[in-house]
Amino acid sequence: MLKVGIVGLPNVGKSTLFSALTKKQVDCENFPFCTIEPNVGVVEVPDDRLKVLAEISKAQKMIGAAIEFVDIAGLVKGAHAGEGLGNKFLTNIRETDMIAHVVRGFESSDIHHVDGSVDPVRDVEVIELELALADLAAVDKRFESLERKARGGLEKHEGHLLEALRKIKSELDAGRMASVATLTAEEQKAMHEMPLLTMKDILYIVNVSEEDVKNSAWESPLGPDRAAIPVCVKIEAEIATLEGDDANMFMEEYGLTESGLDRVIKAAYKKLGLMTYFTSGEKETRAWTISEGMKAPQAAGVIHTDFEEGFIRSETVSYADFVALGGWTGARDAGKARVEGKEYVMQDGDVCLFRFAN
């Protein structure tokens, strides 16, 4: 399951956004550090295709793909050295797959900004610096250890790790994120043992005013190098209290065609290179999350490791054909149910039936 950590300075709207996204009420009072332990919410990934497939297959059960949001307490300057609640929060971030970085982009005399004024670029740089400094401390320690060991000889993977750390250290020393370092495939593999904060993908979310939401010409204050999504957390909190037509009517008032949840999840999937395939039958119709470029055996392994190990073939139909032809029987009769082998590269929306040896 995809795990996204929501981070930012205190009072930027992180916890309110989390509540809106997960419809799980958390303590989000207007003062720093109200979030002590990370709140966790598991949300179904919205996908209109799932219901269509379930109806065609007359499925008894329908299960969507899921995404886990972790609301991590506000970071402040000096967090890497223990300021605020410090390294405890940095540890929580390390356990996530990617970071959703929320910054404040609206003025309000009622909500205090921890640094006294609204400046999204400054806020981003504060958080990124704290993450970089935390990584630098870990990199320096491991780098020095490997350099000492190198005098007596290193294992092959240790050599790759040392070279990777040399490149990453150079970037961190210059105040840049570790993710900009150019690593070879071997060096990337070696870095798996060191899950650095600044190597994670970051999705920037700017908490904007209600007026900015209506502004189709809105431009991100973070510039072109930090792709950002505008979300009015106040509006999303209202949407979260509504259902069905009421929610749709409320969104229409602001010119919104989809909720912030939809936009955040879609952007997270795109950032991480993820897509969805389906299994569909009378017992169950289900959505599965996989990486772009994944082959059929690995996709089957997402369901169960036995499926990957004993993979024989996959019977595959595109979503469009499955719907147009009324399910498996129609697709087979029309010759649209393809038999795919171990080298088949999965496509978004594939409907699959895997055959495997026990």
Side-chain angles (χ1 to χ4, degrees):
M1 185 187 302
L2 175 63
K3 189 173 184 178
V4 178
I6 303 176
V7 305
L9 293 172
N11 297 348
V12 298
K14 294 185 303 81
S15 295
T16 306
L17 175 64
F18 174 84
S19 295
L21 291 175
T22 63
K23 295 189 178 181
K24 177 181 178 182
Q25 186 61 42
V26 296
D27 185 7
C28 49
E29 295 299 327
N30 180 28
F31 57 88
F33 311 123
C34 69
T35 310
I36 305 303
E37 295 295 335
N39 294 287
V40 178
V42 177
V43 180
E44 183 175 327
V45 177
D47 195 323
D48 294 336
R49 297 174 296 183
L50 188 67
K51 185 177 180 180
V52 175
L53 293 174
E55 290 175 349
I56 290 173
S57 297
K58 296 181 173 56
Q60 299 171 21
K61 186 164 56 173
M62 183 173 66
I63 303 175
I67 184 170
E68 181 177 302
F69 288 101
V70 183
D71 179 28
I72 297 168
L75 293 169
V76 294
K77 291 178 182 177
H80 72 284
E83 291 296 323
L85 294 177
N87 290 321
K88 180 179 178 61
F89 298 157
L90 296 174
T91 298
N92 292 329
I93 300 171
R94 289 189 198 281
E95 296 171 354
T96 63
D97 297 306
M98 74 175 297
I99 296 170
H101 186 166
V102 182
V103 294
R104 178 172 163 181
F106 67 92
E107 297 284 351
S108 173
S109 58
D110 296 328
I111 303 176
H112 173 70
H113 189 289
V114 70
D115 285 330
S117 62
V118 175
D119 185 339
V121 174
R122 177 202 60 206
D123 293 355
V124 163
E125 291 174 346
V126 167
I127 298 295
E128 289 183 350
L129 179 60
E130 291 305 317
L131 300 182
L133 289 172
D135 277 350
L136 185 58
V139 167
D140 279 342
K141 184 177 180 180
R142 188 75 172 104
F143 182 77
E144 290 170 5
S145 174
L146 285 172
E147 274 206 318
R148 286 194 299 270
K149 187 177 180 181
R151 296 165 193 159
L154 294 174
E155 298 289 337
K156 190 173 182 179
H157 78 279
E158 290 177 322
H160 291 312
L161 178 58
L162 178 60
E163 188 55 35
L165 292 175
R166 192 188 310 279
K167 294 176 181 179
I168 289 171
K169 178 174 164 56
S170 176
E171 300 296 345
L172 293 173
D173 282 335
R176 293 185 289 268
M177 307 285 272
S179 57
V180 304
T182 303
L183 306 181
T184 66
E186 292 83 1
E187 290 165 357
Q188 290 176 8
K189 185 177 180 180
M191 282 301 300
H192 287 170
E193 69 178 69
M194 288 193 68
L196 297 179
L197 299 169
T198 58
M199 290 193 79
K200 294 182 182 295
D201 286 295
I202 300 179
L203 174 63
Y204 297 94
I205 301 171
V206 182
N207 184 6
V208 300
S209 66
E210 295 170 272
E211 291 72 25
D212 280 333
V213 163
K214 297 178 180 179
N215 181 10
S216 60
W218 180 84
E219 293 184 5
S220 171
L222 304 182
D225 295 332
R226 298 184 178 100
I229 303 173
V231 173
C232 179
V233 172
K234 182 178 180 181
I235 291 176
E236 294 301 324
E238 288 287 339
I239 294 173
T241 66
L242 304 173
E243 298 289 343
D245 291 339
D246 289 337
N248 292 331
M249 289 176 61
F250 185 82
M251 287 192 291
E252 286 176 6
E253 290 181 19
Y254 290 93
L256 298 174
T257 57
E258 56 185 351
S259 70
L261 170 63
D262 290 356
R263 283 182 286 138
V264 168
I265 290 180
K266 287 178 181 178
Y269 265 49
K270 183 177 180 180
K271 190 79 174 177
L272 289 176
L274 300 176
M275 64 183 190
T276 302
Y277 81 87
F278 303 94
T279 53
S280 188
E282 291 184 4
K283 287 187 176 180
E284 176 185 281
T285 291
R286 185 163 182 167
W288 304 89
T289 300
I290 58 174
S291 298
E292 293 175 359
M294 186 174 281
K295 294 183 178 179
Q298 289 72 51
V302 172
I303 300 176
H304 197 287
T305 54
D306 288 349
F307 283 26
E308 179 176 359
E309 293 169 2
F311 180 89
I312 298 174
R313 63 182 181 275
S314 169
E315 189 174 8
T316 303
V317 183
S318 71
Y319 171 79
D321 286 339
F322 195 93
V323 173
L325 298 168
W328 282 112
T329 300
R332 287 167 181 150
D333 290 345
K336 294 295 185 178
R338 312 181 311 272
V339 175
E340 303 289 1
K342 294 182 178 180
E343 295 304 311
Y344 175 68
V345 178
M346 299 288 291
Q347 301 298 309
D348 184 62
D350 277 347
V351 184
C352 299
L353 180 60
F354 297 111
R355 306 293 184 186
F356 68 102
N358 293 322

